[in-house]
Amino acid sequence: MIEIGIVLGSTRNGRVGDQVARWVHERASQRTDARFTLIDLRGHPLPHLTEPPSFSGQYPDERTRAWAATVAACDGFVFVTPEYNHSVPGVLKNAMDHVHLEWNTKAAGFVSYGGVGGARSVEQLRLVCGALQLADVAPQVTLPLATEFEDRVTFAPGEYQLPALDMMLDHVVAWSTALAPLRHGDAEAAIRARMATIVDGLRNKDLEALRLSYAPDVVSFDVEPPLQHVGVDAKLKNWAKVFTIFETVDYELRDLTITVSGDLAVGHGFGRVSGTMKNGVVTDGMWVRGTFVFRNTADGWVIVHDQASVPFDIATGQGCSDLEP
């Protein structure tokens, strides 16, 4: 299901934006065509932007990585924003500037509030969205303080605002759905690039390069004992064992099929380790069935689970190591 993040773009004390964001979330949650999550920037205390520009999805600061993961998990956004001095709140602009790839090829809608309904803030946000490759939808909700707030403090929107809100949500969901195949195509390319990095790491016997391709808590079901290897160190220990046996290593990956859904993906194919062993014997190895589960994180697509298996002959209990795809 399409995931839409409702981003509350004010963190100042005495804000009224939390009332507006709850109103949007309560209305949106009645829909059945998407799932809506309220994202309060107070929960993401990002520093003033200090990192160098990054278009790779790799971020050194753990706060940025956490924020990137939150943005990456969404297919579209509704920005709830006030207007400060005819412009966008600094904290919202800072949050948008902290990441880049995670915004790309998604949809955005706006609910604004302020002296003139926050309209000037949204006009500037549309320019930012263009730079971030966010498709901003035309319908928007503007909430003037004089008419939609009692004493300019308590949010009390008129019923006439609901059709405008529904229309904006309709467009955000529709555009988020339409853009999803483009993102999934990009995701598949990124996952295939990650697998190519693993193959290169194996051929170069580079454990540190391999480490970057696995989640810290990866669970691996290999053809060797124990039943499961838990954690990246255990996974790398298994590869290190292979490197002690082989003088030169080759790895082939064939017929890899990838299916992407949101920030998770599943791949399956056939793999084979071959090469020259320490004693000089050249071996072609054997083909095994491989299944991979990927998660899109602030560090890119990484493997959170993999499984290698060998078919067995039920009658004899012997592994069938001579099969080829």
Side-chain angles (χ1 to χ4, degrees), residues 30-296:
Q30 298 175 21
R31 304 174 67 102
T32 59
D33 53 359
R35 206 165 20 232
F36 295 84
T37 302
L38 183 57
I39 302 171
D40 189 340
L41 292 185
R42 282 185 177 176
H44 294 276
L46 296 166
H48 186 71
L49 191 58
T50 57
E51 296 184 350
S54 175
F55 299 96
S56 65
Q58 306 295 312
Y59 307 104
D61 193 304
E62 63 179 345
R63 293 167 294 184
T64 305
R65 291 199 297 271
W67 173 238
T70 297
V71 175
C74 297
D75 298 294
F77 304 91
V78 174
F79 293 101
V80 177
T81 178
E83 178 182 314
Y84 294 160
N85 300 317
H86 291 208
S87 187
V88 182
V91 67
L92 176 55
K93 182 63 164 60
N94 188 50
M96 297 181 77
D97 289 343
H98 256 77
V99 299
H100 186 85
L101 290 176
E102 292 76 9
W103 297 113
N104 292 177
T105 327
K106 299 178 181 180
F110 309 97
V111 176
S112 60
Y113 59 94
V116 292
R120 291 169 294 205
S121 177
V122 170
E123 287 307 300
Q124 295 197 18
L125 277 175
R126 291 187 186 278
L127 296 176
V128 177
C129 286
L132 292 174
Q133 300 179 46
L134 273 167
D136 54 306
V137 304
Q140 68 186 67
V141 181
T142 55
L143 304 167
L145 292 176
T147 61
E148 309 304 320
F149 295 81
E150 296 176 358
D151 299 323
R152 304 172 72 89
V153 173
T154 303
F155 184 47
E159 289 294 319
Y160 50 82
Q161 292 287 0
L162 291 178
L165 177 58
D166 289 339
M167 180 179 292
M168 182 272 293
L169 293 173
D170 286 344
H171 280 67
V172 170
V173 171
W175 275 96
S176 297
T177 303
L179 291 169
L182 294 179
R183 290 196 307 282
H184 291 169
D186 291 342
E188 181 172 341
I191 291 169
R192 291 188 182 277
R194 176 69 79 183
M195 295 304 297
T197 298
I198 292 177
V199 171
D200 288 341
L202 293 174
R203 290 172 175 169
N204 295 322
K205 300 203 284 190
D206 188 342
L207 290 175
E208 289 311 306
L210 292 173
R211 181 182 295 275
L212 298 176
S213 296
Y214 295 99
D217 57 349
V218 61
V219 176
S220 181
F221 292 173
D222 212 328
V223 292
E224 291 189 322
L227 285 175
Q228 62 179 2
H229 305 270
V230 180
V232 66
D233 289 333
K235 179 65 180 179
L236 295 181
K237 183 178 180 181
N238 209 38
W239 280 126
K241 181 180 178 181
V242 173
F243 296 161
T244 63
I245 299 173
F246 283 86
E247 184 67 32
T248 61
V249 179
D250 194 14
Y251 186 83
E252 299 171 76
L253 184 62
R254 184 178 295 182
D255 299 340
L256 178 63
T257 300
I258 298 170
T259 302
V260 181
S261 179
D263 62 347
L264 291 175
V266 177
H268 60 83
F270 305 100
R272 177 171 67 172
V273 176
S274 61
T276 303
M277 304 178 74
K278 293 286 187 179
N279 60 9
V281 175
V282 176
T283 175
D284 291 333
M286 65 177 179
W287 288 101
V288 299
R289 300 170 295 192
T291 303
F292 311 91
V293 179
F294 306 87
R295 183 172 64 232
N296 193 14

